[in-house]
Structures are given as C-alpha cells and as structure tokens.
Amino acid sequence: MQKLVWYSRRWNIETFFKTLKTGCRIEDIRLTTADRLANCIALCCVVSWRISWLTILQRQSSTTSPAAVFTDIERALLDRSMPSNSQGTRRDIAFYITAVARLGGYLDRSSDPLPGRTVLWRGFIRLADLVAGFQAANADASSTCG
C-alpha cells in the first residue's frame, strides 16, 4: 500500500519538473560556477514548487487562507486587477488563484477547465512585475540609491 501511495504522487513530481524545465527554463541556464548554478536551481525550485502547490490547492483545498499563499501587497494588487460584478465577492483562495491565472491569459469562462501550470506561471510573472512596480512607486526618497 505504501508503494501505491508513493506511485500516486508521481504525477505531481512529474509536473513539478515540467514546470521547472519549461517555466524556469532550467536547462537553458548557462552559469560558469557550481555555486551560481546551485543558487539558481534553488530559486527556480521554490518558484516551481509555488506554482505546483497552487495548482494542487485549487483542485483539493478550498479552505486554505489566501494569506498563507499570497503577501498583503499581492492580494491588494490582485483585488484591484480582478473585475468583480458584486461587492460581496468572496475573497478565498480560489478567487486569488483565478486572479493570477487571468493575469496569465486565463479567460475564466464557465466552460473553461481550472487554470493549469502554464497560465499560472505567466500570471505570476506579471504579478511579480506588478509588485515590483508598486514597491518602486511607493518607495520613500530615503531608500533610493544615488
């Protein structure tokens, strides 16, 4: 039974590495030292894990708090980026995952399947840019260089 449980997790492992290879393009990285390569791989593994974790969360656990996954700035920016038809829209984990997916090109039609890793990857790239822009725009003058 234990071997079957391990084997059942194989698909999640395969898709983690697919995200690492296609999203992070880990095979295209050409660094000159082992330390730099190790640091880059470690960072890419964290990014790939986050995408994989969100994909699993959206399919299995709707009770997870959005604060466990997204920072306050990310949630605020995603709130602003999502068109909401009503003021009482529930801001649960599914809402924020859909918001990230919409940034990545997900259309969120009623007939569409749940967003996958590729569209979440693209959405996170855009979200990272939004966060960086927000932080740059709101930085005080004492924290700038030059």
Side-chain angles (χ1 to χ4, degrees), residues 77-95:
L77 291 171
L78 289 171
D79 284 339
R80 293 179 191 164
S81 72
M82 269 300 270
S84 60
N85 296 336
S86 64
Q87 296 294 342
T89 303
R90 239 177 105 203
R91 305 286 200 231
D92 58 358
I93 191 70
F95 173 84

Side-chain angles (χ1 to χ4, degrees), residues 77 126-139:
L77 291 171
R126 292 209 46 218
L127 180 60
D129 291 341
L130 289 173
V131 169
F134 178 81
Q135 289 173 335
N138 292 319

Side-chain angles (χ1 to χ4, degrees), residues 54-75:
L54 277 180
T55 306
I56 292 167
L57 276 179
Q58 82 178 2
R59 288 176 168 82
Q60 295 177 356
S61 176
S62 62
T63 60
T64 303
S65 169
V69 180
F70 299 100
T71 65
D72 293 337
I73 294 173
E74 288 173 335
R75 288 194 318 269

